[in-house]
C-alpha cells in the first residue's frame, strides 16, 4: 500500500471543462425542453441503433489520447493494450483485470529465467480496437492463451477469448496481420467468484502453450475430474521475494484481529517508507468464525494480489484452532510462530498436536507464546486481545525495529482512544508493556513428544457426503475438492450442521433442576436450538448416562412422566440469552438461577454423552393429545432448524426455529438474501433439518429482490399440483375405492391430527397405486404428497421487505394467496454491516444515516392492513412470548396472506447481546414496538379485527433507546441533534400509539 493521491487541480485538469458544460447543456430542462426515451416501432428502431456507431468507432482513439494526457499530467502511463514481457515472446497470455498483476509477476520471473513469454493486458475491453490489439502483439508470438474470469455456459468460449479469436482471424483474413497463418489460440477460465489465482497457475498456462496440442477451453485453479478441462498446477512454483515479511494471522471472528491488522498496515504503510498489503479471509459463520489475515510488508512495491503462499510469520490468536486447522501449512523454513496460549510457557509445547510439533522441528520454526487473555483480563480489557497480540507481532517479526514499533503502536492508541480520555489510553499502554513482559520464547525439543492428533472435522458417524465433501469445506480444503464432488444442480442435503461441532463457547448454561419451573422460555429464545427440553416415560431412562438430569414433568396431560433440559455444549455459542430469560431463581441466593453459565471445557465430554442420550429419547407427538398454543408446550417440539451460523444472541433465528417447530414438517421456505440466507443456507453446512419421519422444511433462495414472488410461485405450483392430484383421485375412484377417495378429498386438515390422518391415507393410496401401469395412476403417485396440506413461508429481513423487495411483497399481499410472510426486522441491513432501511427508526445511527435517521420507520403492518384480507401480527418474543406463539399459529391458519413483523435484536444495535430479549421488552414497554394482531376473520364474527396486545407505554422512549449504542452514538457525537430527534421520535411513538388505540376501540358489531 502506497497511495499517492492526485490533487484536485490535477483531477480538474484531466477533464475538459467545455465538454462538461456541453454535457450539462444536454440535461433535461423545462427551459429548453426535449424528449428522450420515446417508444420506437420497427420502422425506425434499427436505424436509430446504428446512428450511434460513430461514437463507438471513435472511442479507442479518444481514450488513447486521454491516456496520454493523463500520463503527462501524472506520470502514470496507460495504453489500450499493454504489453509486458520478452520483446521476442513466443508464448503469450491475454487477459484483463486484477489477475494481470499475478501474471506479470510470473512473466518477470520466467523471463528472468530465459523463457520467451509475455502478457498482453487489456485496458479498454469494449469498444475492442483490433488495430491497437494487433499493434501490441509481439510479432514473434506462436501460441496465445486468453484467460477469462467468467463462464458462459453453452458458448463456444468466453467473451475475451471470442474477441481475440475474431480480432486475429479478421487480421489474417484482411492480411493486416504480421503473420500469414494464425498462431495457436486457446481460451481458459480462472478465478471465478474470487477463487485464488497464483503464479503457479500462470506458469501452468505457459507450460500448456509449449505442448503441440494444448488444451482449449481449459480451466486453471480447480481439479475438473468430470470433463477434464483443468490444467495441472505445480504448487511448489512461486515468485514471492525473499526480502519481504509475510505474516498470517488466525483470528476468531470479531476478536479484533482484523482491525489490529488493518492498524498495523496503516502504521507501516503510512508511517514508514515500507509498502504494505493485506487480505482478509473470512468464513461464512457470523459467530465464532475463523478469519485469516494475510499481510505483506517490504521495501519494494508489492505486486501479489493473491494470498500468501509461504509465510515467515504466523500468529494464532486462539489456541483451539490448533486442533481444527493445519496452521503451519504455509510456514517457510525458519518462520516465527506466535501463539495465544491459555497454558504457561512450560506447558505450551505439550499441548501442541503431534503433527504440529513435527513441523516446528522439521522447519526450524521459532515459537513464542503469550497468555493474551490473562493479560487482557489483568489490564481490564475483557476479551480484547488485539492490541496485545499486535504488540507481540511487532516485537518479534522484525518488520520494524522493536522500539520504533512500540512507539508507533502507542501513537496509534492515543489517536484511537484519545477521545475516550487519558485513563483508557493508559490502560492500553499498560497492555502493550505487559504484552512484552509476558511474551516468552519456547524452547524446541529435538523430538516430538505429543500424542494429540488434529480433531476430525466431523464425526465418523456422519453420512458419506458430509464425510467427503462437507468435512473438507469445513476443514478449509474446499479449494481442493474436485468437480465431481459437487451436486450437478446445486441440491444439498439438509441437517448437516449437527456434524460440525464448533465448540466456540467459553461458557455454557448448566441446568439446576431443583429450581426449574418447566416454563420453556430458555428453549424458546435459544437462537441456535442448542438447549432443548423433553418429557418422557421413566422407563426410557434405562441406559441413561450417569448424571443425566431429570425431574417430574408438570403437565396435566402428561402424568407420571419425567422432564429434562439438555444443552448441546459443543454447538452452544455461549450467548446467555437462555440464562437471562430464565425466571427461576434460588430464593436464598437470587444470583443462582435454574440456568447458570459455567466453563465449557470441563463439561464437554460428559455433556456430549448426555446430549446423545437426550437425542434418542422419543420426540413429543403431534397427535392431538397436547395442544401447542403455549410456550410451555411448544418448547417440547423438535426444532427443524438447529446450530446455524448466526451470531451469538441473534434475534432473528428464534422466530425461524419456532416456525419450524410448529410447521416445519410441511413447510416450504422462500428465503430472501440476507442474514437468514447466510446462516440458513450458506455452505458448508445446512441448519434446516428433518424429523424422524424424514420430513422437514424444504428451502430455497432466489434473489434479494424477488423473494415474495418466488414464494408465491411455490404456492401456485403446490396448489396446482394439489388440484391435479384431487382431480386424479376423483377420476381414479375405481382403482382407489370410494371410501379412500372420499376420505382423501374431504379430510379436515386444520389440525395436526387431521394432517396425520391425511398422511396415513396417502400411504394407503400409494399402496393401491404402486403396481398400477395406467398413466394417470403413475401421475397421481408422483404428486400424492401434495394431498397433504403444505405451508409456504416467505422469509427475509427488513431490507428486503421494506425496501428492495417491497414491490413484490405488496403484489403477493394483494394476491390473496395463502402464504405466510415472516419479516425478521432488525431495522437495518444486517448481513451487509448495518445500512439503514426504511425500517430504521427515527434517531438511530446506521450506515447511510450516520447523523441519525431523520425520518420515521415505515409502518409496514398498517400499509398491509389496507387490503383488509391480510392477517398481520407485530411480535416481539422477548416482550410477550405467548403472543408470538399465538400469532404464528393464527398466521398459518389464515387462509389468505399473512404477515408477521418480528422484532429481532442484532449485533448492529450496539447492545450487550445477552440482554437482547430485555431490549425487546423495553421496545414494547416504551410504546415504540406495539404488539398487535389483525385478523380479518374476526370481522365475520362482528369483532374488531385489530387487537392491540401490549399495554399503554409505561416508560419514556429514552429509557429504551439510550440502552442501545445505535442511539447513544448520536447522543455522544451530536447531542443537540440527538435531543431533537428524540423528541420527534417520542412524539411519533405517541401519535402511533393513539392511532392504534383508536383502531382497537372501534366497534364492528
Ligand atoms: C439486489 C441486491 N442488492 C444488494 C444485495 C446485497 N445484499 C445482500 S443481503 C443484503 C442485506 C439484507 O438486509 P435485510 O433484508 O434487512 O436482512 P438481514 O441481513 O438484516 O437479515 C444486501 C444489501 C443483493 N444481494 N441483491
Ligand atoms: S447460551 Fe445461547 S446458544 Fe447456548 S443454550 Fe443458551 S441460548 Fe442457546
Ligand atoms: S441478524 Fe444480526 S445478530 Fe443475527 S446473524 Fe445477522 S448480524 Fe448476526
Amino acid at each position: 500500500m502506497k497511495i499517492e493521491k492526485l490533487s484536485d487541480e490535477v483531477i480538474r485538469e484531466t477533464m475538459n471543462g467545455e465538454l462538461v458544460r456541453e454535457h450539462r447543456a444536454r440535461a433535461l430542462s423545462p427551459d429548453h425542453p426535449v424528449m428522450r426515451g420515446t417508444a420506437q416501432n420497427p420502422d425506425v428502431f434499427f436505424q436509430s441503433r446504428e446512428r450511434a456507431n460513430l461514437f463507438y468507432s471513435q472511442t479507442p482513439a479518444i481514450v488513447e489520447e486521454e491516456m496520454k494526457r493523463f500520463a503527462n499530467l501524472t506520470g502514470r502511463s496507460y495504453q489500450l493494450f499493454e504489453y509486458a514481457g520478452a520483446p521476442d515472446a513466443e508464448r503469450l497470455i491475454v487477459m484483463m483485470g486484477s489477475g494481470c498483476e499475478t501474471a506479470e509477476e510470473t512473466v518477470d520471473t520466467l523471463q528472468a529465467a530465459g523463457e520467451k513469454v509475455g502478457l498482453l493486458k487489456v485496458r479498454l475491453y469494449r469498444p475492442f480496437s483490433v488495430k491497437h490489439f494487433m499493434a501490441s502483439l509481439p510479432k514473434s508470438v506462436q501460441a496465445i492463451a486468453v484467460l477469462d474470469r467468467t463462464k458462459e455456459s453453452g458458448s463456444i468460449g468466453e467473451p475475451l477469448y471470442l474477441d481475440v479469436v475474431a480480432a486475429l482471424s479478421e487480421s489474417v483474413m484482411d492480411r493486416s496481420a504480421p503473420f500469414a497463418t494464425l498462431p495457436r489460440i486457446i481460451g481458459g477460465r480462472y478465478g471465478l467468484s474470487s477463487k485464488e489465482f497464483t503464479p503457479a497457475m500462470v506458469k501452468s498456462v505457459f507450460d500448456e502453450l509449449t505442448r503441440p496440442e494444448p488444451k482449449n477451453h481449459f480451466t486453471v485453479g480447480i481439479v475438473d475430474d468430470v470433463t477434464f478441462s483443468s490444467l495441472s498446477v505445480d504448487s511448489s512454483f512461486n515468485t514471492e521475494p525473499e526480502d519481504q515479511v509475510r505474516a498470517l494471522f488466525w483470528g476468531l471472528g470479531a476478536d479484533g484481529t482484523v482491525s489490529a491488522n488493518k492498524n498495523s498496515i496503516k502504521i507501516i504503510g503510512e508511517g514508514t517508507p515500507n509498502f504494505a498489503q493485506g487480505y482478509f479471509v473470512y468464513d461464512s459463520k457470523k459467530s465464532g468464525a475463523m478469519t485469516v489475515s494475510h499481510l505483506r510488508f517490504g521495501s519494494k512495491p508489492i505486486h501479489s494480489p493473491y494470498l500468501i503462499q509461504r509465510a515467515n510469520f504466523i500468529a494464532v490468536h486462539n489456541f483451539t484452532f490448533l486442533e481444527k486447522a493445519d496452521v503451519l501449512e504455509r510456514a517457510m523454513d525458519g518462520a516465527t510462530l506466535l501463539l495465544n496460549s491459555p497454558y504457561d510457557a512450560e506447558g505450551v509445547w505439550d499441548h501442541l498436536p503431534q503433527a504440529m510439533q513435527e513441523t516446528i522441528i522439521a522447519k526450524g520454526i521459532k515459537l513464542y507464546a503469550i497468555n493474551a487473555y490473562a493479560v487482557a483480563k489483568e489490564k481490564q480489557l475483557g476479551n480484547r486481545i488485539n492490541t496485545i497480540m499486535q504488540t507481540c507481532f511487532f516485537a518479534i517479526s522484525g518488520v520494524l525495529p522493536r522500539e520504533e514499533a512500540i512507539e508507533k503502536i502507542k501513537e496509534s492508541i492515543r489517536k484511537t482512544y484519545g477521545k475516550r480520555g487519558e485513563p483508557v489510553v493508559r490502560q492500553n499502554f499498560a497492555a502493550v508493556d505487559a504484552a512484552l513482559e509476558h511474551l516468552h520464547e519456547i524452547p524446541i525439543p529435538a523430538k516430538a513428544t505429543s500424542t494429540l492428533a488434529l480433531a476430525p472435522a466431523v464425526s465418523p458417524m456422519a453420512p458419506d457426503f458430509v464425510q467427503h465433501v462437507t468435512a473438507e469445506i469445513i476443514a478449509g480444503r474446499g479449494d481442493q475438492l474436485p468437480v465431481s464432488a459437487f451436486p450437478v444442480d446445486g441440491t444439498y442435503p439438509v441437517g448437516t450442521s449437527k456434524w460440525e461441532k464448533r465448540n466456540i463457547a467459553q461458557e455454557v448454561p448448566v441446568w439446576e433442576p431443583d429450581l426449574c419451573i418447566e416454563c420453556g422460555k430458555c428453549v424458546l429464545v435459544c437462537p441456535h436450538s442448542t438447549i432443548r427440553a423433553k418429557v418422557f416415560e421413566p422407563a426410557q431412562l434405562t441406559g441413561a448416562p450417569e448424571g443425566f438430569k431429570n425431574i417430574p414433568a408438570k403437565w396435566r396431560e402428561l402424568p407420571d412422566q419425567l422432564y429434562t433440559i439438555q444443552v448441546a455444549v459443543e454447538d452452544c455459542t455461549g450467548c446467555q440469552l437462555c440464562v437471562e430469560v430464565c425466571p427461576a431463581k434460588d430464593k436464598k441466593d437470587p444470583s443462582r438461577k435454574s440456568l447458570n453459565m459455567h466453563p465449557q471445557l470441563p463439561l464437554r465430554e460428559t455433556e456430549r454423552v448426555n446430549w446423545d442420550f437426550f437425542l434418542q429419547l422419543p420426540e413429543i407427538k403431534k397427535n392431538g393429545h397436547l395442544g401447542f398454543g403455549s410456550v410451555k408446550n411448544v418448547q417440547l417440539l423438535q426444532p427443524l432448524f438447529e446450530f446455524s451460523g448466526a451470531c451469538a444472541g441473534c434475534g432473528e433465528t428464534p422466530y425461524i426455529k419456532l416456525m419450524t417447530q410448529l410447521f416445519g414438517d410441511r413447510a416450504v421456505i422462500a428465503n430472501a438474501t440476507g442474514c437468514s440466507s447466510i446462516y440458513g443456507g450458506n455452505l458448508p453446512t445446512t441448519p434446516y433439518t428433518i424429523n424422524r419421519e424424514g420430513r422437514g422444511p424444504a428451502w430455497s433462495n432466489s434473489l434479494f429482490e424477488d423473494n415474495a414472488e418466488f414464494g408465491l410461485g411455490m404456492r401456485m405450483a403446490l396448489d396446482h399440483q394439489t388440484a391435479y392430484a384431487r382431480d386424479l383421485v376423483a377420476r381414479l375412484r375405481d382403482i382407489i375405492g370410494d371410501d379412500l377417495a372420499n376420505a382423501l378429498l374431504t379430510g379436515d386438515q386444520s389440525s395436526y391430527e387431521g394432517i396425520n390422518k391425511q398422511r396415513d391415507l396417502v400411504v394407503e393410496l400409494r399402496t393401491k397405486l404402486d403396481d398400477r401401469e395406467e398413466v394417470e395412476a403413475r401421475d397421481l403417485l408422483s404428486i400424492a404428497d401434495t394431498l397433504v396440506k403444505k405451508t409456504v413461508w416467505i422469509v427475509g429481513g427488513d431490507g428486503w421487505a421494506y425496501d428492495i423487495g417491497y414491490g413484490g411483497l405488496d403484489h403477493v399481499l394483494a394476491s390473496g394467496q395463502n402464504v405466510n410472510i415472516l419479516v425478521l426486522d432488525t431495522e437495518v441491513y444486517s448481513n451487509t454491516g448495518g445500512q439503514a432501511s426504511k425500517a430504521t427508526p427515527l434517531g438511530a445511527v446506521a450506515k447511510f444515516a450516520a447523523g441519525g435517521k431523520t425520518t420515521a420507520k415505515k409502518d409496514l403492518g398498517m400499509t398491509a392492513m389496507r387490503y383488509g384480507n391480510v392477517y398481520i401480527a407485530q411480535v416481539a418474543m422477548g416482550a410477550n412470548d405467548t403472543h408470538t406463539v399465538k400469532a404464528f399459529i393464527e398466521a398459518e391458519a389464515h387462509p389468505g396472506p399473512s404477515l408477521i413483523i418480528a422484532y429481532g435484536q442484532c449485533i448492529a444495535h450496539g447492545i450487550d447481546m445477552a440482554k437482547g430479549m430485555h431490549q425487546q421488552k423495553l421496545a414494547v414497554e416504551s410504546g415504540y414496538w406495539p404488539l398487535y394482531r389483525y385478523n380479518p376473520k374476526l370481522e365475520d364474527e362482528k369483532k374488531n379485527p385489530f387487537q392491540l396486545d401490549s399495554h399503554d407505554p409505561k416508560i419514556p422512549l429514552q429509557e429504551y433507546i439510550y440502552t442501545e449504542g445505535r442511539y447513544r452514538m448520536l447522543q455522544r457525537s451530536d447531542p443537540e441533534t440527538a435531543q431533537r430527534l428524540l423528541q420527534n421520535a417520542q412524539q411519533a411513538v405517541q401519535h402511533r400509539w393513539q392511532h392504534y388505540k383508536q383502531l382497537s376501540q372501534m366497534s364492528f358489531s
Side-chain angles (χ1 to χ4, degrees):
M1 185 186 86
K2 277 286 167 217
I3 299 170
E4 289 166 35
K5 286 195 207 152
L6 297 182
S7 68
D8 287 357
E9 291 73 46
V10 171
I11 293 175
R12 187 171 284 279
E13 273 290 295
T14 60
M15 292 183 222
N16 182 330
E18 201 42 50
L19 293 179
V20 172
R21 285 184 285 279
E22 281 175 23
H23 178 67
R24 281 195 200 122
R26 286 191 293 269
L28 283 181
S29 161
D31 293 327
H32 41 86
V34 292
M35 275 189 91
R36 293 210 179 96
T38 58
Q40 298 184 353
N41 291 340
D43 53 347
V44 300
F45 173 77
F46 194 172
Q47 300 94 300
S48 307
R49 291 294 295 130
E50 297 298 325
R51 184 67 182 86
N53 286 352
L54 286 178
F55 292 104
Y56 289 89
S57 55
Q58 287 169 15
T59 299
I62 295 171
V63 174
E64 191 179 32
E65 196 47 43
E66 290 305 311
M67 281 175 162
K68 271 190 206 142
R69 224 156 67 77
F70 186 74
N72 286 338
L73 283 168
T74 65
R76 301 179 194 180
S77 169
Y78 295 94
Q79 280 133 43
L80 303 191
F81 295 91
E82 276 164 29
Y83 181 74
D88 55 349
E90 291 165 2
R91 286 170 289 149
L92 180 75
I93 286 179
V94 182
M95 64 188 296
M96 57 184 166
S98 62
C100 288
E101 289 268 293
T102 307
E104 187 165 355
E105 191 180 271
T106 315
V107 164
D108 288 348
T109 307
L110 295 177
Q111 200 192 340
E115 298 204 29
K116 293 185 177 175
V117 292
L119 167 72
L120 192 56
K121 296 182 253 182
V122 180
R123 294 278 190 204
L124 178 68
Y125 174 46
R126 294 280 167 82
F128 194 103
S129 167
V130 176
K131 186 179 99 188
H132 287 88
F133 173 75
M134 292 305 293
S136 319
L137 270 188
K139 316 279 172 278
S140 47
V141 67
Q142 290 168 12
I144 299 175
V146 187
L147 297 186
D148 276 274
R149 198 166 207 158
T150 185
K151 172 162 176 82
E152 297 230 336
S153 301
S155 72
I156 299 176
E158 273 54 55
L160 183 59
Y161 164 78
L162 292 180
D163 282 13
V164 169
V165 170
L168 281 158
S169 314
E170 285 186 6
S171 307
V172 169
M173 283 189 285
D174 68 16
R175 300 201 171 78
S176 61
F179 25 72
T181 52
L182 278 177
R184 187 85 191 207
I185 315 167
I186 56 174
R189 296 179 290 279
Y190 74 102
L192 264 68
S193 179
S194 297
K195 159 101 55 208
E196 272 289 273
F197 181 58
T198 62
M201 295 172 197
V202 178
K203 165 116 180 354
S204 75
V205 175
F206 280 121
D207 289 348
E208 191 64 22
L209 288 176
T210 60
R211 293 179 198 280
E213 291 298 327
K215 198 179 269 187
N216 199 355
H217 310 299
F218 64 84
T219 54
V220 64
I222 56 170
V223 177
D224 176 5
D225 56 344
V226 175
T227 53
F228 305 99
S229 64
S230 51
L231 305 184
S232 58
V233 174
D234 170 11
S235 55
S236 68
F237 176 83
N238 83 79
T239 53
E240 289 174 313
E242 292 307 317
D243 56 345
Q244 216 178 40
V245 172
R246 286 186 293 274
L248 286 177
F249 298 82
W250 295 73
L252 193 65
D255 74 350
T257 299
V258 170
S259 49
N261 285 332
K262 288 184 176 165
N263 181 254
S264 300
I265 290 175
K266 222 170 159 197
I267 288 178
I268 295 171
E270 289 179 2
T272 79
N274 290 309
F275 293 86
Q277 179 205 56
Y279 286 111
F280 304 93
V281 181
Y282 304 86
D283 75 19
S284 52
K285 298 290 190 301
K286 289 176 177 278
S287 62
M290 236 189 241
T291 60
V292 188
S293 311
H294 294 241
L295 267 51
R296 288 185 173 96
F297 303 105
S299 57
K300 298 196 194 96
I302 299 163
H303 296 288
S304 310
Y306 52 88
L307 299 180
I308 287 173
Q309 308 290 298
R310 300 175 312 143
N312 41 33
F313 180 90
I314 294 168
V316 183
H317 289 191
N318 193 302
F319 207 79
T320 60
F321 293 166
L322 303 185
E323 45 174 294
K324 296 182 189 168
D326 179 4
V327 296
L328 294 181
E329 197 188 358
R330 293 169 193 244
M332 290 172 70
D333 286 353
T336 300
L337 172 64
L338 168 65
L339 294 180
N340 172 18
S341 157
Y343 308 104
D344 59 20
E346 289 71 42
V348 174
W349 179 257
D350 291 335
H351 286 90
L352 301 182
Q354 186 185 14
M356 189 170 175
Q357 287 186 344
E358 282 165 3
T359 310
I360 290 175
I361 295 168
K363 293 191 173 178
I365 289 172
K366 281 195 286 300
L367 174 60
Y368 290 83
I370 179 170
N371 187 342
Y373 284 119
V375 177
K377 212 169 209 169
E378 189 189 307
K379 300 294 165 203
Q380 275 117 40
L381 290 175
N383 276 343
R384 301 289 292 176
I385 57 162
N386 54 353
T387 311
I388 297 161
M389 295 307 288
Q390 187 188 16
T391 306
C392 295
F393 161 66
F394 275 111
I396 57 177
S397 64
V399 64
L400 285 183
R402 191 172 165 134
E403 292 315 312
E404 184 189 340
I406 303 304
E407 199 182 304
K408 286 195 184 297
I409 293 181
K410 289 191 173 171
E411 248 172 56
S412 141
I413 288 174
R414 187 165 286 287
K415 261 193 219 152
T416 316
Y417 298 109
K419 272 192 245 124
R420 297 213 213 149
E422 196 54 29
V424 181
V425 172
R426 273 207 301 275
Q427 202 177 16
N428 278 279
F429 279 6
V432 169
D433 297 333
L436 298 172
E437 283 158 29
H438 289 80
L439 176 65
H440 299 285
E441 179 163 5
I442 310 295
I444 309 295
K447 270 174 84 176
T449 46
S450 170
T451 52
L452 300 171
L454 273 188
V458 299
S459 145
M461 310 290 283
D464 203 51
F465 183 84
V466 175
Q467 297 271 0
H468 295 108
V469 180
T470 315
E472 289 302 290
I473 311 176
I474 293 172
R477 293 189 292 266
D479 274 323
Q480 280 95 57
L481 281 171
V483 171
S484 65
F486 295 90
V488 284
D489 61 353
T491 302
Y492 284 83
V494 293
T496 50
S497 60
K498 63 170 169 281
W499 302 111
E500 187 182 15
K501 298 297 174 200
R502 298 202 294 142
N503 285 302
I504 57 172
Q506 303 276 340
E507 292 194 330
V508 292
V510 172
W511 184 44
E512 304 286 347
D514 61 313
L515 296 174
C516 185
I517 56 168
E518 303 180 12
C519 65
K521 286 179 184 292
C522 53
V523 179
L524 189 79
V525 301
C526 175
H528 290 81
S529 312
T530 47
I531 182 163
R532 289 192 50 196
K534 276 185 183 176
V535 171
F536 56 99
E537 300 283 350
Q540 278 146 355
L541 263 188
T542 319
E546 204 183 317
F548 183 79
K549 296 175 199 167
N550 57 85
I551 48 175
K554 297 178 188 135
W555 267 263
R556 203 173 14 86
E557 306 90 325
L558 306 168
D560 306 323
Q561 304 215 11
L562 298 174
Y563 178 78
T564 189
I565 282 192
Q566 180 63 46
V567 178
V569 297
E570 295 192 289
D571 303 292
C572 169
T573 64
C575 73
Q576 290 194 49
L577 279 188
C578 54
V579 173
E580 288 291 327
V581 299
C582 174
K585 291 192 184 112
D586 186 345
K587 289 201 182 75
K588 283 181 231 117
D589 171 13
S591 70
R592 181 176 166 256
K593 288 181 156 190
S594 186
L595 286 172
N596 307 283
M597 298 302 281
H598 289 279
Q600 190 247 28
L601 207 53
L603 294 165
R604 205 186 273 183
E605 294 307 319
T606 47
E607 292 311 303
R608 178 189 293 156
V609 178
N610 283 336
W611 176 252
D612 286 345
F613 180 78
F614 173 88
L615 284 182
Q616 58 79 48
L617 288 172
E619 297 290 348
I620 195 90
K621 294 228 163 36
K622 287 176 175 171
N623 55 8
H625 187 58
L626 194 66
F628 294 105
S630 66
V631 171
K632 186 176 164 74
N633 290 1
V634 158
Q635 56 145 340
L636 299 175
L637 292 167
Q638 182 187 359
L640 297 176
F641 173 81
E642 58 183 12
F643 321 142
S644 76
C647 297
C650 173
E652 291 192 350
T653 48
Y655 295 110
I656 298 182
K657 181 186 66 170
L658 172 63
M659 185 274 278
T660 69
Q661 285 174 301
L662 291 167
F663 322 112
D665 58 348
R666 56 192 178 85
V668 186
I669 301 173
N671 209 126
T673 310
C675 278
S676 52
S677 72
I678 299 305
Y679 58 63
N682 201 336
L683 291 180
T685 57
T686 44
Y688 286 96
T689 190
I690 50 175
N691 63 16
R692 290 187 189 180
E693 288 78 50
R695 293 197 179 90
W699 185 97
S700 192
N701 162 247
S702 171
L703 293 172
F704 188 26
E705 58 270 36
D706 72 359
N707 188 50
E709 300 93 315
F710 188 49
L712 179 65
M714 291 174 171
R715 177 79 271 166
M716 309 283 272
L718 280 167
D719 286 352
H720 273 89
Q721 288 190 339
T722 309
Y724 183 39
R726 290 175 64 85
D727 187 34
L728 289 173
V729 168
R731 276 198 260 158
L732 296 173
R733 275 173 187 282
D734 289 350
I735 299 174
I736 300 167
D738 268 340
D739 287 352
L740 179 56
N742 288 342
L744 277 165
L745 293 175
T746 58
D748 172 11
Q749 296 189 56
S750 60
S751 65
Y752 291 119
E753 222 180 339
I755 287 167
N756 283 338
K757 216 182 250 165
Q758 185 81 352
R759 280 193 181 128
D760 291 343
L761 294 176
V762 170
V763 172
E764 225 180 291
L765 174 70
R766 286 185 173 285
T767 39
K768 297 222 167 177
L769 296 175
D770 243 356
D771 51 3
R772 304 296 300 208
E773 295 295 330
E774 295 89 338
V775 172
E776 289 195 326
R778 316 258 7 118
D779 253 10
L780 180 52
L781 204 52
S782 72
I783 53 171
D785 282 339
T786 62
L787 291 165
V788 179
K789 190 166 103 172
K790 300 291 185 294
T791 179
V792 172
W793 284 80
I794 298 175
V795 177
D798 49 279
W800 160 70
Y802 286 68
D803 294 359
I804 314 279
Y806 178 69
L809 185 111
D810 181 59
H811 175 74
V812 172
L813 290 176
S815 73
Q817 295 290 329
N818 187 5
V819 293
N820 308 287
I821 301 170
L822 173 59
V823 180
L824 303 160
D825 196 345
T826 54
E827 310 198 308
V828 278
Y829 292 61
S830 302
N831 187 47
T832 38
Q835 294 80 9
S837 74
K838 285 196 262 316
T840 304
L842 204 158
V845 170
K847 289 182 185 154
F848 303 139
K853 184 151 172 283
T854 51
T855 52
K857 181 185 177 94
K858 163 160 136 186
D859 196 337
L860 185 65
M862 210 38 78
T863 318
M865 237 171 260
R866 304 280 179 235
Y867 281 115
N869 64 340
V870 180
Y871 177 92
I872 303 153
Q874 183 156 288
V875 302
M877 176 184 286
N880 188 339
D881 46 15
T882 306
H883 177 255
T884 302
V885 172
K886 261 197 225 156
F888 271 71
I889 292 172
E890 288 175 3
E892 206 279 330
H894 179 65
S898 305
L899 173 68
I900 300 177
I901 305 167
Y903 183 106
Q905 72 274 6
C906 170
I907 53 164
H909 293 180
I911 57 167
D912 172 0
M913 289 298 275
K915 303 277 192 304
M917 292 296 161
H918 182 64
Q919 294 308 115
Q920 296 197 10
K921 198 161 173 239
L922 293 180
V924 173
E925 287 179 350
S926 67
Y928 168 72
W929 190 271
L931 304 180
Y932 65 79
R933 285 166 299 150
Y934 177 88
N935 191 345
K937 290 285 146 212
L938 291 179
E939 228 177 306
D940 301 346
E941 301 165 28
K942 301 218 176 311
K943 289 186 188 150
N944 186 341
F946 182 81
Q947 300 154 271
L948 187 53
D949 296 314
S950 49
H951 300 295
D952 286 348
K954 63 175 185 192
I955 57 169
L957 185 65
Q958 59 180 336
E959 270 184 40
Y960 153 53
I961 66 174
Y962 288 148
T963 56
E964 305 206 339
R966 56 180 168 154
Y967 297 96
R968 268 202 318 267
M969 235 186 249
L970 188 66
Q971 208 190 14
R972 255 201 315 264
S973 64
D974 185 353
E976 255 172 56
T977 308
Q979 185 57 29
R980 186 170 44 81
L981 294 181
L982 170 67
Q983 274 168 9
N984 296 350
Q986 179 68 67
Q987 218 169 42
V989 164
Q990 268 149 4
H991 283 161
R992 200 178 46 205
W993 183 265
Q994 278 159 7
H995 180 204
Y996 284 13
K997 192 93 186 174
Q998 278 172 2
L999 276 183
S1000 71
Q1001 288 165 346
M1002 278 168 68
S1003 166
F1004 281 71
S1005 54

